[in-house]
Amino acid sequence: MTYDVIVVGAGPAGSSAALMAARAGLSVVLLERGPYPGSKNVYGGVVYGRVLDDVLPGWWEEVPVQRWVTRRSTMVLTGTQALTVDFRSGAWGQAPYNGCTTLRSDFDGWLAGKAVEAGAQLVTSTVATGLIREAGRVVGVRTDRPDGDLRATVVIAADGVNSLLAKELGLLPKTDPKHLTLGVKEVLSLPKDVIDERFGVRGEEGVDVEILGCTRGIAGGGFVYTNRDTLSVGVVVSVDGLAKSEVRPEQLVADLKAHPAIAPWVQGAEVKEYSAHLIPEGGYDHLPQLHAPGFLLTGDAAGLCLAAGIWLEGVNFAIGSGLAAGRAAAAHVLGGAELSSYRKDLESSFVLQDHKRLRKAPALVLSDRVQQRYPQLIADLVEGLFTVTNPTAKPGAISLLRGAAKRNGVKLRHLAADGLAGGRTFR
Amino acid sequence: MTWDGISFEDRMETVEFRVGERPHIVVDSDICRSCTTKACVTACPANLFAPTSDGGILFNYEQCFECGTCYQVCDSDGALSWTYPDGGHGVVFRSG
């Protein structure tokens, strides 16, 4: 069979690419190795849908939402302490909304359905086992179906973080444990009214909690997201750090659930599903080459997850890059434009602008002091501020900071340097 | 091994696997014998790598998340051959 475009992987990137290519009138096949879109996919929990406004107007009326995130908390945990910065917005609970929790088996299927409505052919339970190449150009894929070779003018690889197709072309290194993290998640069942009560929300309102300092010093963090009648709770840790720690991943999730600040939220909840997935967190400085003759790389396969501390976004970057890949493929097939227009398109959109601006964030966020020293330092400082020391007079804030820094092995010049680096990184 | 009141077996029971006939990951235990770290044993979130008494590794592909952690942490070239399960097989996440 011959198509204009083969898209490998019906996740958010692949379905977005298929949608744009099909809308441009191209013949498109969308391959998915799982029995349904989303069946191989795991994420934390939140989709930020603004990227869909232009392509699927009013998407929020029909997206398979669990809850709309109206409350965001950032927590710093130590063994016995917790500091939370908590923000709520009424605006996020109304159209056009900001972010929603959704499950990937629902969301990915919904988005793939949009590609199918636009004319793409979705073929599930089919693995693209390799590329067909002729004269230095990708001209198709081999599949594990009988007589399964498919040919196309453009192959779009949206085959995820392990992209075997990009590795076959040498665009991705075979292994890269320093720039990958492992996400481990439990979905926990609780009645909706119990979740509403414990998290202080109502109706379709939901909460997004990001956590630093809960991973035994292994670079990473934790999360809690509210779904309708489940919670998604888990940790994300550096693959390299995890391997060296010899700590088992589910033990880190158990630690988080047992923390005095988290345990009351998850008390009595039953594990509904346990899951794990790799995340590409290298950022802009470790992006692969995004195109080759006849070939485009998009979504996680292209390393386009934004892991920048307070911003942890992936699905929106997958969609943004997938849409651009679909547009580039259409311009190539219909007008003979170079596939390199894909990179230029991404550079002019939020996808690479955000990544470029925050290129130093992954290293800073995962650095030793941020991970291993600052959570305790900050918690000690705040505990010092709020502990009433009568009859001794209150210590000054600077004195408390000096004491907390000293106890945690941090020199004030390091604090100043990291503060400056943070300022530059997030400017 | 029990953490948090749920045994690892019960934890894995929550996940659906449509087990294919072909093992999609194959471990060359001869190579593993010379490996000093055996990082796969602790890092695999599905706990599928078991050290054997002769210093090798026993691997069970049936409850694999297909996450790729094992080959990312593997120090021994050629010890792991890693592919995806055949189409429609392997892990099927419902709440990913």
Side-chain angles (χ1 to χ4, degrees):
Chain A
M1 288 290 290
T2 298
Y3 297 86
D4 291 323
V5 178
I6 298 167
V7 181
V8 181
S15 291
S16 300
L19 173 68
M20 291 313 270
R23 275 193 187 168
L26 272 52
S27 61
V28 179
V29 65
L30 175 58
L31 302 178
E32 167 56 46
R33 70 186 182 89
Y36 54 81
S39 57
K40 301 293 182 181
N41 299 346
V42 181
Y43 80 144
V46 178
V47 171
Y48 298 95
R50 199 75 313 110
V51 62
L52 289 172
D53 285 354
D54 290 341
V55 276
L56 297 169
W59 56 270
W60 54 81
E61 302 285 346
E62 47 172 298
V63 71
V65 60
Q66 290 282 326
R67 289 177 186 255
W68 297 104
V69 174
T70 55
R71 184 178 167 198
R72 271 203 71 157
S73 299
T74 302
M75 294 181 95
V76 176
L77 298 186
T78 71
T80 56
Q81 300 154 300
L83 170 68
T84 306
V85 178
D86 186 47
F87 178 74
R88 286 173 185 258
S89 171
W92 291 352
Q94 300 165 18
Y97 302 100
N98 182 45
C100 66
T101 56
T102 170
L103 303 177
R104 296 294 294 277
S105 52
D106 297 331
F107 182 82
D108 292 10
W110 172 75
L111 196 56
K114 295 296 171 190
V116 171
E117 280 173 30
Q121 182 188 351
L122 172 65
V123 182
T124 57
S125 297
T126 302
V127 182
T129 53
L131 296 168
I132 305 171
R133 286 188 271 177
E134 285 172 6
R137 186 182 172 87
V138 175
V139 296
V141 299
R142 302 195 191 287
T143 73
D144 63 351
R145 291 290 182 107
D147 301 316
D149 287 6
L150 302 174
R151 297 177 73 89
T153 309
V154 181
V155 171
I156 299 177
D159 52 340
V161 61
N162 288 303
S163 182
L164 298 183
L165 299 182
K167 287 178 185 182
E168 184 181 335
L169 274 186
L171 301 184
L172 279 182
K174 184 166 172 277
T175 63
D176 194 13
K178 288 195 190 317
H179 300 121
L180 291 169
T181 56
L182 175 66
V184 190
K185 179 169 92 164
E186 286 181 8
V187 173
L188 304 171
S189 288
L190 278 176
K192 181 185 182 296
D193 58 329
V194 172
I195 293 177
D196 287 353
E197 201 169 302
R198 289 184 186 179
F199 288 85
V201 288
R202 289 179 182 163
E204 287 196 306
E205 296 169 348
V207 185
D208 163 342
V209 186
E210 317 285 357
I211 306 161
L212 176 69
C214 58
T215 48
R216 298 193 187 193
I218 305 168
F223 59 84
V224 177
Y225 299 109
T226 58
N227 303 311
R228 194 178 300 111
D229 54 6
T230 58
L231 300 176
S232 295
V233 179
V235 298
V236 172
V237 286
S238 149
V239 168
D240 194 44
L242 178 70
K244 288 177 177 146
S245 74
E246 300 187 6
V247 176
R248 288 211 39 79
E250 75 277 6
Q251 200 172 343
L252 295 169
V253 183
D255 281 2
L256 180 61
K257 287 166 67 185
H259 190 281
I262 308 295
W265 287 344
V266 301
Q267 189 183 348
E270 274 193 26
V271 180
K272 191 179 175 195
E273 190 173 69
Y274 171 58
S275 57
H277 210 279
L278 290 180
I279 308 165
E281 294 203 7
Y284 191 82
D285 290 340
H286 299 279
L287 292 180
Q289 191 183 315
L290 298 176
H291 56 87
F295 187 83
L296 295 171
L297 200 54
T298 187
D300 275 11
L304 291 168
C305 261
L306 185 73
I310 56 172
W311 297 294
L312 299 165
E313 302 170 22
V315 172
N316 50 336
F317 282 83
I319 293 171
S321 63
L323 295 171
R327 284 193 295 266
H332 179 69
V333 171
L334 299 173
E338 297 287 337
L339 285 179
S340 58
S341 71
Y342 172 52
R343 172 94 194 193
K344 295 191 189 94
D345 192 352
L346 292 178
E347 294 276 6
S348 68
S349 86
F350 78 94
V351 175
L352 286 185
Q353 283 181 8
D354 284 356
H355 267 286
K356 197 168 184 177
R357 178 188 296 259
L358 294 163
R359 65 198 298 170
K360 298 203 182 302
L364 180 69
V365 170
L366 298 179
S367 68
D368 287 348
R369 278 199 293 275
V370 170
Q371 289 286 330
Q372 296 168 6
R373 307 278 181 184
Y374 291 161
Q376 188 69 58
L377 190 160
I378 293 165
D380 286 353
L381 176 65
V382 175
E383 184 156 336
L385 280 173
F386 292 142
T387 301
V388 177
T389 56
N390 306 164
T392 306
K394 291 189 190 308
I398 298 292
S399 153
L400 282 171
L401 178 63
R402 279 184 197 280
K406 193 175 180 191
R407 272 199 305 286
N408 289 287
V410 176
K411 294 196 162 47
L412 288 184
R413 63 184 163 84
H414 289 147
L415 257 183
D418 289 339
L420 203 61
R424 284 200 189 114
T425 300
F426 295 104
R427 74 183 184 274
Chain B
M1 186 167 14
T2 305
W3 304 108
D4 189 32
I6 179 172
S7 73
F8 200 83
E9 291 69 29
D10 287 346
R11 174 186 293 277
M12 293 306 292
E13 281 292 311
T14 65
V15 193
E16 181 184 347
F17 295 96
R18 299 185 187 172
V19 180
E21 285 178 17
R22 181 182 65 88
H24 61 284
I25 297 174
V26 178
V27 177
D28 185 340
S29 196
D30 287 338
I31 296 178
C32 300
R33 275 190 202 94
S34 61
C35 172
T36 54
T37 60
K38 294 193 171 49
C40 56
V41 174
T42 51
C44 169
N47 201 12
L48 299 177
F49 293 81
T52 57
S53 57
D54 64 347
I57 289 286
L58 190 66
F59 173 74
N60 173 10
Y61 74 98
E62 293 183 1
Q63 292 191 311
C64 174
F65 289 150
E66 301 151 38
C67 69
T69 302
C70 55
Y71 81 78
Q72 292 293 341
V73 302
C74 182
D75 291 332
S76 309
D77 216 20
L80 275 174
S81 74
W82 200 96
T83 61
Y84 291 125
D86 296 336
H89 292 90
V91 70
V92 181
F93 291 120
R94 286 168 277 112
S95 307

